[in-house]
Every structure is written in C-alpha cells, then in structure tokens.
Amino acid sequence: MDETFKDRTAFIRGAKDIAKEVKKHAAKKVGRSVDKVQDEYTKRSYTRFEEDDDDDDYPPQDGYYRGDPLNDEEGASSDATEGHDEDDEIYEGEYQGIPRADSMKGDHLTNNQQLVTEFKDFEDLEGQRRKDKEELAQQYELILQECGHGRFQWTLYFVLGLAMMADGVEIFVVGFVLPSAEKDMCLSDSNKGMLGLIVYLGMMVGAFLWGGLADRIGRKQCLLISLSVNSVFAFFSSFVQGYGTFLFCRLLSGVGIGGSIPIVFSYFSEFLAQEKRGEHLSWLCMFWMIGGIYASAMAWAIIPHYGWSFQMGSAYQFHSWRVFVLVCAFPSVFALGALTTMPESPRFYLENGKHDEAWMVLKQVHDTNMRAKGHPERVFSVTQIKTIKQEDELIEIQSDTGTWYRRWMIRILNLSQQVWANFHDCFAPEYRRITLMMMAVWFTMSFSYYGLTVWFPDMIKHLQNIEYASRTKYFNSEKMVNFNFNFTLENQVHRNGEYRNDKFIRLKMKSVTFEDSIFTDCYFEDITSSNTFFRNCTFISTLFYNTDLFDYKFINSKIINSTFLHSKEGCQLDFSDDINNAYMIYFVSFLGTLAVLPGNIVSALLMDKIGRLRMLAGSSVMSCISCFFLFFGNSESAMIALLCLFGGVSIASWNALDVLTVELYPSDKRTTAFGFLNALCKLAAVLGISIFTSFVGVAKAVPILLASAALAVGSFLALKLPETRGQVLQ
C-alpha cells in the first residue's frame, strides 16, 4: 500500500470493493477472473457488529449488539494470516508467488467451485438484507404506534413547516421585485427573463444535490446545511448592487432552498405512523401556501413605501424592494434555528446500523408524547430494534495520515460515488417502472402548473396594457413656441410636432412617444421618464441638463449642436404612478395563493380515506377541465377568478404526489428519488414558463391545449402507479 495510508483505520471496504480487489490480485496468479464477493467469514470479520448464528437477528435485551467472543476481531486468525504481523498480513486472493505446475489443474477446479460459492453467498447476503428491511419496516411501524402521535410530531410539524414556508417564499421573491429591480439595475428583457428563471435552475440543482446527500449523511444535517446556504445568500442578495452579483446570490439561494421539499417530506414521514401519514403530510403542504401569502403581504406592505430607502451617492442604492428581499429570508433563518433543537430521523439511524442512537430518539418521541397526554409513568418497552447489515462504509483516515486536503478529497470522492450509486439504484429493475412513471407524472404536472401560474399574471398584465393603450391620446402636427412644460405627460403620442424655444422642466414622462418631430433651441431639465422614446426626431441647439434621456431612447433621431450635461446615472426609480399596478400584482398573487386553502383542507381530510391515486388522478382531471374555462377569460376579473379556480383544484394533486413519492421508495433511497423527481419538476417548470409566456398576446388556445394535454396524460399515468395507502413505510 502507499506509505501515506499505512496507518489508516481497519475498515469495511464493501462487498463490491472487495470483489474488485480479489479480481485484481487473483489475476496475477493464473490470469483467472473472480467476480463479486469473498466468502462470508472474510467479509464479516471486519464489520462493526457480528451476529450469532443462534440468535434470530435481534440484539440482547439491553439493546446493544455485541460480537461473538469466539469470533472477536483481536483473536481472529486463519491459515492465511496466522503468524504474520498486521502490516505483513496476506489476504485471500493476494499474490503469493507462482504456483507449481502440478498444482495448476487442481487449483483451477477449486477456484471454479469457490466462484460458484461466492455468487451464492452474495445472493444470500442480498436476500438477507431484503428480509431485514421488511422486518425493520414492520417493527418500526409497531414502534411508532407505541410512541403515539402527539406533542413531538406537532413540534416537528411547525419546525419543518418553516422550511416549507421558506421554499414558498423563494418562488415569489423574484417575481415581486422584478418590476422594481429592472429599473434599479437597468435590466434588458433578456436579463429580466434570466432573473426570473435563475431561482428554478438553482432549486433544480439543490433538490438533486441535497436529496442525494440526505440519504448518506442524514436528514437533519443536510437540511441544516441547505437552509444555511439559503439564508446567507438571500441576505447578501439584498445588499449587492450589480446585476451579475445579484443573479449569483439568487442562484445560490435557490440551490440552498432546493433541498427543503425532498428532505422535509422524507424527514417528517419517518416520525408518522401509517394511519396518520397521508393526512399530516398534506397538512404540512399548507406551509407552502402560507409562504406565498407571507411574500404577497410583505411585498404589499414594503415595496410601495419608497421612503424606506437610502443611497450613498449614485454608486450605492438601497431601495424598499431590497428591504423586502431581506425580510423574505426570515422564514429560512427561523427554520434553521428551530431545527437545531430536533433530533435526526431514527429510521435513518437504523438504516445505517446505528441502533443506540435510533433507540434514544424513539424513546424521546415516546416520552414527550406520553408526558403531554398525562401518562408520564408509561415506559418505552422496546429494547431491541432490527438494524440493516451494511454493504459499505466510508474509508476512515487518521488525522496524522497525509495532508488535510487529501483526506477531505478522498472523503468527498467516496461520498460522491455512493450518492451516484444510490441514484442509479433508483433505476434498478425493481424500481425502474415506478421511477419512469413518476418522472412522467412529475414532469406533466409541473409543466402545466408552473406554466399556467406564470401565464395568468402575464395575461392579466397584457389585458391591462390593451386597456391602457385604448386610452392613449394622440396629438398631430402641434406647434409650440416659448411654452413651459412643467406637468406630467402620460400615455401620449405626439406626431409631426414642432417645438421652438420651449422648456421642459421638472417633468415626468410615462409612456410618451414623440414621432417625426423637431425641437429647436429647447431646454430639458430634471426629466424623469419611463417607457418614453423619440422616434425620427431632430434636436437643434438643445440643452439637456440632469435628465435620464439616454441614448437608447433616441431612435433614428438626429442631434445637432446639442449638449447633455450631468445626466442622471443608472436607472432612476419613479414609482408614484405605478402604485396601483403594484398593489394589483400583489393582490392577485395573494388571492391565487389563498385559493389553494380549500384544496389543502380537502386533500388532508380525504388522503387516507380515498387513497393517493384517486386523489392525484381526480384532482388532475378537475384541473384539466378547469383549463377549458380559460377560453372565456376575456377580462381582468375573469382571469383572476380562473386563476383561483385552477389553483384550488390542482393543489390536491400536488399533495397526493408528494405523499406517493415518499411512500414508493425505501428509506435508503427516499430523499435521493424525491430530490431527483423534484429537480425534474423544476426543469419542467422552466420549460413550461418559457413556452407559455411566449404565447402571451399571440394565441390563447396554445397554452390552454398544452396544459390540458399534459394534465390528461399525467392523470392517466397516475392510475398506473401502485397504491400505497395502508402500507408500512419501506
């Protein structure tokens, strides 16, 4: 071995790693290939726990596993190792010299027999692991029933609810600040589009990353890290000034919060007994709605109050929308603090062979609930819990071995390989059909839901613009001489005008266009404009002082002997005329989010009564039908009503899909599968938003037909999934 790793701790290499080592060394002997696993004794002699053959896989009554003294690691010996020092130990299959010619034939037959034995041992080991998992699932359900449902679960419910609330807030933040941020940062249309999608891209990466890690390092620990990332970068995003840094912070903020949904549902489900699981997981979904309501209310209360801002020169500006971004980080910060008081999932401990830690957590759950119910005298009667035999573990390296970065690189590489292998196991033959079906259902649901929920506000805005344009005032061939313009110009079009020696002082221009006009000896001072352009105009001997009339506002115009002095830097905020529109946006989002409350209540009450599949398929069909009413949405009020209807009937399908995803996968793959499916959901959301918004003002039928077709396909495929109601958690 390399000298750097000479002193590493003895450790389990794993069945697959040992098989590769056997194959490599045995090839030096006779060129033969050995596959999979060494014999059971050699493999098990390095495990932390050994099980007695006379025992029926349960530990002693004191709750601890102890190895057989006859097979203790210190006294263990074999023909291959006896008489050797630890450093000189020769393992089975290691090169020990060239065999004699007369022993080749017998060796070949013996090795073939050993190969068959190894395959049989590997199959027996896998069969034993499956049997152990089934026994653990049944026993764990009985233990949860003994612990009861009470104060502990409700405390965890509110703690994890804050994490769900943070996820709901994250979805709405960028949409609410975009109208303000685009002026503050001078964003182009492409930059605005990227800012709107960057959160979904970050959440897509975060869901896959944290979901995979949660199955390896723990639900609580992984959720703490993800919420910390979200809190830190959400805080920074409220202070950074440039578009690039703001985009980067929101991306990493999305990566952090992306792990909340996969981990929260898996974490909470492992403290719930079978008869309570569907209902209480559905109640947990309400916090996503509360997050949307919180974001809408805070935007309504903060962003239009432009006095809540300050600036340090022209380089640093902190406007009210940045205060809103800062306030939206509070749920994540509170969730982070509250989560530190909660224990790790006992099911995760048991899946990783940590019997004592799991027993202590379950005892805490039992005692907390019994004290709250007035029965403190009741004793936790469980003394032995099934644990799963471990196939592989991380390589443990002593602190004085090698350099610190090399040790960390090995650990990270090993952890990445295990996460990737666990992800591949989701496509193993026994899970492949379920995974592919769930991928299709998640994709179709997300594509239609997110596409329509973004399309609705855009359509409302489009209808508002049509109505606003219908009130445009037109002025043709006007001639103004020595006139002072000191009032607001709004929603006007001036064509073929002639302005001589006129003054435009302390003027606000909103949606004003000058076409084919001539300005001679005019004076512009302290001008604030939005959506204002000069097309094919000519400026002769004109002075511009302290204005925001930048080059892009002069389209095909000629500027002759004119001067620009002290032009305003950056994009100046002018919200006074947009307050009503801002309130309207927040109010519509508030109503759309609040409309899912009835669907949440119905799904929670009926989830364990009618089953997950009926809830999922029924809600999808109703959502599909509601899409056809969109053809009648020809006014602003009608579109708001249809938005509330669609949100109210579709939320039940999301709740059923979350519960179904938790229950279809075993504990060692649960957050990995959930994270992958949730990442696919965010990818479908990006595609849906991009496609649906491109048809705003072009064709209403295309988004409606796309959403209806996707929902119909999703509801049909949902009926092909297995029902999980009444089943113990795998």
Side-chain angles (χ1 to χ4, degrees):
M1 296 181 64
D2 190 341
E3 194 65 22
T4 308
F5 300 95
K6 184 176 179 179
D7 298 326
R8 71 178 186 180
T9 306
F11 182 78
I12 304 173
R13 301 278 294 210
K16 296 181 180 178
D17 292 338
I18 293 176
K20 293 178 181 178
E21 193 72 18
V22 171
K23 184 184 295 184
K24 181 180 69 175
H25 291 298
K28 295 180 181 180
K29 284 185 178 182
V30 291
R32 56 190 171 84
S33 297
V34 177
D35 199 345
K36 299 297 181 185
V37 190
Q38 285 182 294
D39 85 339
E40 183 68 17
Y41 174 76
T42 303
K43 179 174 66 61
R44 298 301 295 172
S45 64
Y46 290 97
T47 57
R48 290 179 56 196
F49 307 109
E50 296 181 342
E51 302 181 5
D52 195 340
D53 293 333
D54 296 332
D55 194 272
D56 57 349
D57 292 335
Y58 288 94
Q61 293 300 314
D62 60 359
Y64 293 89
Y65 285 96
R66 294 188 175 89
D68 189 347
L70 296 177
N71 294 328
D72 191 84
E73 183 178 349
E74 294 182 0
S77 64
S78 67
D79 294 339
T81 61
E82 188 172 2
H84 293 278
D85 293 334
E86 183 177 342
D87 293 340
D88 298 330
E89 185 174 353
I90 300 176
Y91 297 95
E92 289 187 34
E94 187 168 349
Y95 176 68
Q96 302 179 24
I98 301 174
R100 296 192 305 272
D102 57 356
S103 66
M104 292 285 289
K105 184 174 182 181
D107 246 5
H108 180 68
L109 295 175
T110 302
N111 291 330
N112 284 340
Q113 294 174 356
Q114 182 182 358
L115 184 62
V116 174
T117 303
E118 289 168 357
F119 272 116
K120 184 177 180 180
D121 290 341
F122 181 74
E123 292 175 357
D124 292 343
L125 178 62
E126 288 300 309
Q128 184 63 39
R129 282 179 56 81
R130 285 193 293 269
K131 180 181 177 182
D132 290 347
K133 288 185 177 183
E134 293 174 0
E135 293 178 3
L136 172 59
Q138 297 294 335
Q139 186 186 13
Y140 193 77
E141 178 64 30
L142 295 176
I143 294 173
L144 287 179
Q145 291 179 5
E146 179 179 343
C147 293
H149 188 92
R151 176 178 293 177
F152 182 91
Q153 281 84 358
W154 284 112
T155 303
L156 183 62
Y157 168 79
F158 286 105
V159 171
L160 297 180
L162 289 173
M164 284 288 295
M165 183 177 171
D167 183 271
V169 170
E170 191 75 17
I171 294 293
F172 290 93
V173 168
V174 172
F176 287 158
V177 305
L178 193 57
S180 305
E182 67 175 325
K183 298 178 182 179
D184 203 2
M185 298 181 181
C186 298
L187 300 182
S188 62
D189 290 339
S190 60
N191 288 340
K192 287 188 293 183
M194 178 56 67
L195 189 57
L197 296 178
I198 198 66
V199 174
Y200 291 98
L201 295 176
M203 295 176 75
M204 178 178 67
V205 174
F208 184 81
L209 173 65
W210 304 119
L213 289 175
D215 276 331
R216 304 306 304 175
I217 65 176
R219 280 73 162 119
K220 175 187 173 180
Q221 183 175 354
C222 210
L223 187 57
L224 284 172
I225 297 173
S226 65
L227 289 175
S228 299
V229 172
N230 173 253
S231 301
V232 169
F233 286 99
F235 175 80
F236 285 154
S237 67
S238 66
F239 293 96
V240 297
Q241 294 295 300
Y243 167 75
T245 51
F246 182 78
L247 193 71
F248 178 74
C249 287
R250 294 316 302 182
L251 172 65
L252 293 184
S253 176
V255 170
I257 203 61
S260 63
I261 288 182
I263 300 176
V264 162
F265 278 99
S266 302
Y267 189 12
F268 193 43
S269 69
E270 292 168 358
F271 286 93
L272 298 174
Q274 173 267 321
E275 67 272 8
K276 297 285 187 179
R277 194 183 309 123
E279 176 185 350
H280 286 273
L281 286 177
S282 298
W283 288 126
L284 187 63
C285 295
M286 292 189 64
F287 278 93
W288 197 92
M289 174 200 71
I290 295 174
I293 294 175
Y294 173 82
S296 301
M298 291 298 101
W300 198 342
I302 295 175
I303 295 180
H305 292 272
Y306 314 114
W308 295 14
S309 62
F310 67 89
Q311 67 182 61
M312 299 170 61
S314 59
Y316 189 87
Q317 299 177 347
F318 194 89
H319 295 290
S320 57
W321 67 267
R322 295 184 181 274
V323 179
F324 167 72
V325 173
L326 186 62
V327 170
C328 285
F330 289 170
S332 183
V333 174
F334 294 151
L336 183 63
L339 187 61
T340 57
T341 65
M342 305 308 297
E344 179 58 85
S345 165
R347 187 62 180 269
F348 171 78
Y349 280 145
L350 293 172
E351 291 286 342
N352 288 271
K354 298 181 179 180
H355 173 274
D356 298 343
E357 293 88 340
W359 187 88
M360 291 297 294
V361 173
L362 290 170
K363 184 178 185 302
Q364 177 186 350
V365 175
H366 175 274
D367 293 348
T368 302
N369 290 339
M370 292 303 108
R371 284 195 300 268
K373 293 178 180 179
H375 304 289
E377 72 282 357
R378 292 187 180 179
V379 179
F380 186 50
S381 62
V382 177
T383 58
Q384 53 187 14
I385 309 175
K386 190 73 177 178
T387 54
I388 305 300
K389 296 183 179 69
Q390 298 304 295
E391 286 184 336
D392 53 16
E393 296 181 14
L394 285 172
I395 296 176
E396 191 65 35
I397 302 177
Q398 293 181 357
S399 59
D400 59 347
T401 302
T403 56
W404 66 269
Y405 62 86
R406 187 167 184 179
R407 293 194 300 273
W408 274 104
M409 285 297 295
I410 291 174
R411 290 189 178 102
I412 293 173
L413 179 61
N414 194 289
L415 182 61
S416 301
Q417 291 173 346
Q418 293 184 43
V419 170
W420 188 251
N422 207 30
F423 167 67
H424 274 280
D425 288 343
C426 295
F427 292 90
E430 56 182 320
Y431 301 112
R432 183 179 300 142
R433 179 180 178 275
I434 291 176
T435 301
L436 293 176
M437 296 285 286
M438 290 294 288
M439 287 175 61
V441 175
W442 273 90
F443 187 90
T444 55
M445 288 280 298
S446 179
F447 179 81
S448 57
Y449 177 81
Y450 286 100
L452 282 180
T453 51
V454 175
W455 180 77
F456 272 116
D458 285 354
M459 277 299 297
I460 293 174
K461 186 176 180 180
H462 175 68
L463 293 174
Q464 290 176 340
N465 291 337
I466 293 176
E467 194 272 336
Y468 185 78
S470 66
R471 295 186 282 108
T472 301
K473 297 179 180 179
Y474 293 90
F475 299 86
N476 295 312
S477 302
E478 62 179 355
K479 294 183 178 180
M480 309 294 293
V481 180
N482 296 324
F483 188 82
N484 290 334
F485 291 87
N486 55 5
F487 48 86
T488 299
L489 301 179
E490 180 180 357
N491 198 16
Q492 299 178 3
V493 176
H494 299 260
R495 293 172 177 167
N496 300 313
E498 185 176 343
Y499 306 90
R500 184 181 298 274
N501 201 26
D502 294 330
K503 295 182 179 180
F504 299 81
I505 301 176
R506 289 184 291 277
L507 187 64
K508 293 183 178 180
M509 298 181 177
K510 179 183 177 183
S511 299
V512 177
T513 302
F514 290 88
E515 297 179 352
D516 302 311
S517 300
I518 300 175
F519 297 82
T520 305
D521 296 323
C522 293
Y523 179 70
F524 290 81
E525 179 182 353
D526 195 15
I527 303 298
T528 301
S529 63
S530 62
N531 195 29
T532 296
F533 301 96
F534 297 87
R535 302 178 187 274
N536 301 318
C537 295
T538 302
F539 295 85
I540 303 174
S541 301
T542 298
L543 176 63
F544 297 87
Y545 181 83
N546 191 29
T547 70
D548 64 354
L549 300 178
F550 304 116
D551 290 342
Y552 72 91
K553 296 187 177 183
F554 297 91
I555 304 174
N556 296 328
S557 297
K558 297 179 180 180
I559 301 177
I560 304 172
N561 294 329
S562 298
T563 305
F564 290 83
L565 297 176
H566 301 287
S567 296
K568 294 182 179 181
E569 297 182 4
C571 298
Q572 301 299 314
L573 292 172
D574 176 26
F575 298 109
S576 57
D577 297 325
D578 296 331
I579 291 180
N580 292 332
N581 288 337
Y583 277 126
M584 190 63 185
I585 293 172
Y586 310 143
F587 181 67
V588 169
S589 299
F590 177 83
L591 287 180
T593 307
L594 188 62
V596 306
L597 178 61
N600 267 319
I601 296 175
V602 171
S603 64
L605 296 177
L606 298 181
M607 188 69 70
D608 289 320
K609 293 181 173 60
I610 67 175
R612 288 72 162 131
L613 295 187
R614 291 181 180 178
M615 180 69 68
L616 175 57
S619 177
S620 297
V621 170
M622 294 177 64
S623 302
C624 180
I625 295 174
S626 68
C627 287
F628 287 99
F629 288 100
L630 298 178
F631 284 107
F632 304 101
N634 296 321
S635 65
E636 185 178 334
S637 57
M639 291 300 295
I640 295 175
L642 291 172
L643 170 64
C644 296
L645 174 64
F646 179 76
V649 299
S650 62
I651 192 62
S653 59
W654 281 110
N655 294 354
L657 190 59
D658 290 332
V659 176
L660 197 63
T661 305
V662 165
E663 296 177 336
L664 280 177
Y665 291 93
S667 296
D668 60 340
K669 300 176 180 63
R670 182 168 296 124
T671 58
T672 300
F674 207 137
F676 165 66
L677 293 172
N678 198 255
L680 183 67
C681 164
K682 297 304 184 290
L683 176 62
V686 171
L687 294 176
I689 292 171
S690 302
I691 293 174
F692 280 43
T693 53
S694 64
F695 288 99
V696 173
V698 178
K700 183 190 294 186
V702 176
I704 295 174
L705 293 177
L706 283 176
S708 301
L711 289 169
V713 171
S715 59
F716 173 77
L717 293 176
L719 293 174
K720 303 296 182 180
L721 291 168
E723 177 60 77
T724 58
R725 181 181 57 156
Q727 296 182 6
V728 298
L729 200 64
Q730 297 183 54

